[in-house]
Amino acid sequence: MSAPIIAIDAMGGDFGPRCIVPASIASLVEFPSLNLVLVGQAPLLEGLIARHSGVDRSRLRVEHAGEVVAMDERPAQVLRGKPDSSMRVALEVLRSGNAQACVSAGNTGALMALSRYVLKTLPGIDRPAMVAAIPTSRGHCHLLDLGANVDCSAEHLYQFAVMGVVAAEALGISSPRLALLNVGTEDIKGNQQVKLAASLLQQAKGLNYIGYIEGDGLYRGEADVVVCDGFVGNILLKSSEGLASMISARMEALFKQSLGSRLVGSLALPLLRRLQGDLAPARHNGASFLGLQGIVVKSHGSAGPDGFQSAIRRALSEVREDLPQRLHDRLEHLLL
């Protein structure tokens, strides 16, 4: 394939271009064939780029956009009132064919609304869904939806399941095990939407549906793709991140309490750091918006340069796998 090009909303997130510019430059070093378009306030971006020596400007272009989407703005307000926002312009670069993916750390609701408006959804998909890889005892599990759709029908959950399976297959998982997140594994458990979604999935051909899964089963690696509505998924994701951070902080504090614990800690420190690296949110940062006619990856708003670089890495992987076309090809066979 030709050299991939990714459009970057350089003004989004809690730290904005002071985080995103160095992450973008590091990505160019990591991937010598990659090209980036940084979208935002050009004078500011050019000044930040100039602080880095040896940048290959033939692979890094700046596209001016005068407006910035605030993290607390309402999606409808952004959709109507900010046609020159960095977020919207980056998506329009993607739609025009001048990029194959877009990455943003900005307002999630605004990014979803603008993505649906600018790019449109794939045929047969009512709502895009956010999916990310969650670390488990056996590797990773693809969890969706992570917050794009708070209220979902059974049909929406079915569509999420199909998209999650195709995405997992594109990342090298053969016949991924698919499960619905529920309050129990018994058939009688769950609300009406989950029960109806289970019925739809049981009737589907071409899906390796294994039934319900509870939260602890997700982390044991009992499924490769787990589906839920965005309300549940977002709470699960944020709780997991908070729990991992709390355990790490508690262990470090315990190892500093006495001379003996410090000695034990010095021996365990290499393993703890390895574990922290494996579970670090930055390493797994980047949630994909599945179901759009284009690749859009949402970085966590609080991500630092390493985390944002991880989001770019995920977008590049989906470009190389041509994920939207894979979804398009499979949806007509799997959707009801």
Side-chain angles (χ1 to χ4, degrees):
M1 63 177 294
S2 58
I5 306 173
I6 297 177
I8 305 292
D9 170 17
M11 309 302 294
D14 295 345
F15 307 114
R18 287 171 177 78
C19 161
I20 294 170
V21 168
S24 299
I25 292 173
S27 295
L28 292 175
V29 174
E30 182 180 3
F31 301 104
S33 65
L34 178 63
N35 292 266
L36 296 177
V37 181
L38 294 183
V39 182
Q41 296 170 355
L44 173 59
L45 297 180
E46 291 289 0
L48 291 171
I49 294 171
R51 298 179 183 179
H52 298 264
S53 60
V55 179
D56 184 356
R57 291 306 304 267
S58 67
R59 297 166 52 214
L60 181 65
R61 180 168 67 85
V62 172
E63 179 91 9
H64 181 70
E67 298 174 313
V68 177
V69 175
M71 297 299 279
D72 59 351
E73 284 191 82
R74 294 182 178 274
Q77 178 184 347
V78 174
L79 196 60
R80 293 192 301 265
K82 289 195 170 179
D84 192 38
S85 69
S86 58
M87 185 181 289
R88 181 161 184 166
V89 173
L91 289 166
E92 289 174 346
V93 170
L94 170 58
R95 181 184 63 180
S96 70
N98 291 319
Q100 289 83 52
C102 173
V103 180
S104 174
N107 181 317
T108 302
L111 182 62
M112 177 58 77
L114 285 171
S115 296
R116 292 184 66 179
Y117 179 78
V118 173
L119 301 174
K120 313 304 181 188
T121 57
L122 291 167
I125 296 298
D126 297 324
R127 300 181 181 181
M130 292 176 64
V131 61
I134 307 297
T136 73
S137 61
R138 298 184 182 180
H140 298 90
C141 171
H142 299 274
L143 177 67
L144 71 163
D145 177 42
L146 296 178
N149 306 279
V150 175
D151 297 307
C152 298
S153 67
E155 289 75 15
H156 293 144
L157 294 176
Y158 179 86
Q159 292 176 13
F160 298 167
V162 172
M163 293 191 293
V165 165
V166 175
E169 290 174 340
L171 294 173
I173 302 175
S174 177
S175 188
R177 297 163 299 162
L178 167 67
L180 283 171
L181 187 64
N182 200 0
V183 295
T185 58
E186 301 86 354
D187 290 341
I188 61 172
K189 297 289 184 67
N191 58 29
Q192 192 66 15
Q193 287 86 352
V194 170
K195 291 179 181 178
L196 288 173
S199 178
L200 294 175
L201 290 169
Q202 287 165 353
Q203 299 171 41
K205 296 180 180 180
L207 296 177
N208 183 17
Y209 176 62
I210 63 173
Y212 295 144
I213 192 172
E214 296 182 84
D216 56 349
L218 184 156
Y219 289 105
R220 284 196 296 267
E222 294 176 0
D224 302 302
V225 178
V226 174
V227 176
C228 59
D229 64 48
F231 183 85
V232 172
N234 190 269
I235 291 175
L236 174 62
L237 179 67
K238 299 292 177 59
S239 299
S240 302
E241 292 175 348
L243 177 62
S245 297
M246 184 272 290
I247 291 174
S248 176
R250 284 285 189 92
M251 291 184 71
E252 288 188 8
L254 286 172
F255 284 137
K256 294 177 181 178
Q257 284 185 347
S258 66
L259 177 59
S261 62
R262 285 196 293 271
L263 289 173
V264 173
S266 65
L267 295 174
L269 192 58
L271 290 176
L272 287 175
R273 286 178 174 169
R274 180 177 175 181
L275 178 62
Q276 286 177 326
D278 289 342
L279 300 179
R283 180 173 179 177
H284 306 285
N285 182 53
S288 304
F289 284 4
L290 296 181
L292 296 167
Q293 296 188 42
I295 295 169
V296 177
V297 173
K298 170 67 173 70
S299 169
H300 202 300
S302 62
D306 290 344
F308 196 86
Q309 190 175 350
S310 176
I312 295 175
R313 198 176 293 122
R314 183 178 181 96
L316 179 58
S317 173
E318 293 186 7
V319 170
R320 289 172 169 169
E321 295 296 335
D322 197 8
L323 187 56
Q325 187 60 49
R326 280 180 177 245
L327 282 168
H328 183 273
D329 294 342
R330 291 289 305 278
L331 290 177
E332 60 181 343
H333 302 294
L334 292 173
L335 288 181
L336 300 175

